[in-house]
């Protein structure tokens, strides 16, 4: 639980930094974050969920339409999340 | 190429419908869209890319910060896209 909270804070900090600087180095941190997340078996829809929570924290007055669009995107990731879990199971069987 | 263009148009239409209605039925279409996309080996970062293009079409005056946030999210999905391709390869080997 505390690990997931830490990840959310990390993601939010990295996202905030990229929005502030628009710097390639900050963007590179996104890649590092996802590699780290994959090592901890975080699925793609959990990343989207973390993104949504970070956006709500960083932009408390986010328009309803933008919020709805993110909810829609989250829903598309559910199937990919299941495929990702299956991928992990297959890999573990092969190792 | 034309299939991908069609998918973008489909996604945009479904997203627009959900934003307009906030209806559960429209949200369910997101799940169907992703299942269909997975059958056509579309990776998760392609979904994010389609989402970004749809948002730019639907909201031409999207604030820079929101655009940057989506670019950051796209970057986090690159590693997941690679894992998804690997998953497909593993599955094909097992079938």
């Amino acid at each position: 639980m505390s690990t997931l909270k830490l990840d959310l804070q990390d993601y939010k900090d990295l996202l905030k930094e990229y929005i502030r600087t628009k710097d390639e180095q900050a963007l590179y941190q996104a890649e590092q974050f996802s590699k780290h997340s994959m090592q901890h078996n975080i699925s793609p829809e959990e990343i989207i969920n973390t993104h949504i929570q970070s956006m709500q924290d960083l932009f408390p007055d986010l328009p309803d339409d933008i919020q709805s669009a993110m909810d829609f995107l989250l829903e598309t990731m559910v199937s990919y999340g299941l495929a990702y879990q299956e991928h992990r199971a297959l890999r573990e069987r092969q190792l």
Side-chain angles (χ1 to χ4, degrees), chain A:
Chain A
M1 193 65 182
S2 63
T3 313
L4 272 177
K5 273 189 190 165
L6 180 68
D7 282 348
L8 171 61
Q9 187 60 48
D10 281 354
Y11 185 91
K12 191 165 72 176
D13 290 346
L14 295 171
L15 177 62
K16 191 176 175 181
E17 179 68 7
Y18 178 65
I19 289 171
R20 192 178 65 80
T21 63
K22 320 276 198 250
D23 185 77
E24 278 297 315
Q25 188 57 35
L27 196 58
Y28 172 74
Q29 297 298 319
E31 194 192 327
Q32 295 305 306
F33 179 88
S34 65
K35 282 183 178 165
H36 177 81
S37 298
M38 287 175 70
Q39 281 165 5
H40 290 79
N41 300 324
I42 305 290
S43 71
E45 92 267 22
E46 286 176 277
I47 297 280
I48 307 288
N49 210 21
T50 302
H51 180 79
I52 293 174
Q53 287 181 60
S54 300
M55 290 297 283
Q56 287 166 341
D57 286 352
L58 295 175
F59 305 98
D61 299 322
L62 210 59
D64 268 4
D65 287 354
I66 305 290
Q67 175 64 52
S68 297
M70 294 194 300
D71 293 341
F72 187 86
L73 177 63
L74 180 62
E75 198 67 23
T76 63
M77 277 301 130
V78 173
S79 304
Y80 283 92
L82 294 173
Y84 180 71
Q85 301 302 342
E86 188 191 350
H87 168 64
R88 279 184 45 221
L90 277 173
R91 262 193 106 179
E92 277 164 21
R93 222 183 299 160
Q94 295 213 331
L95 290 177

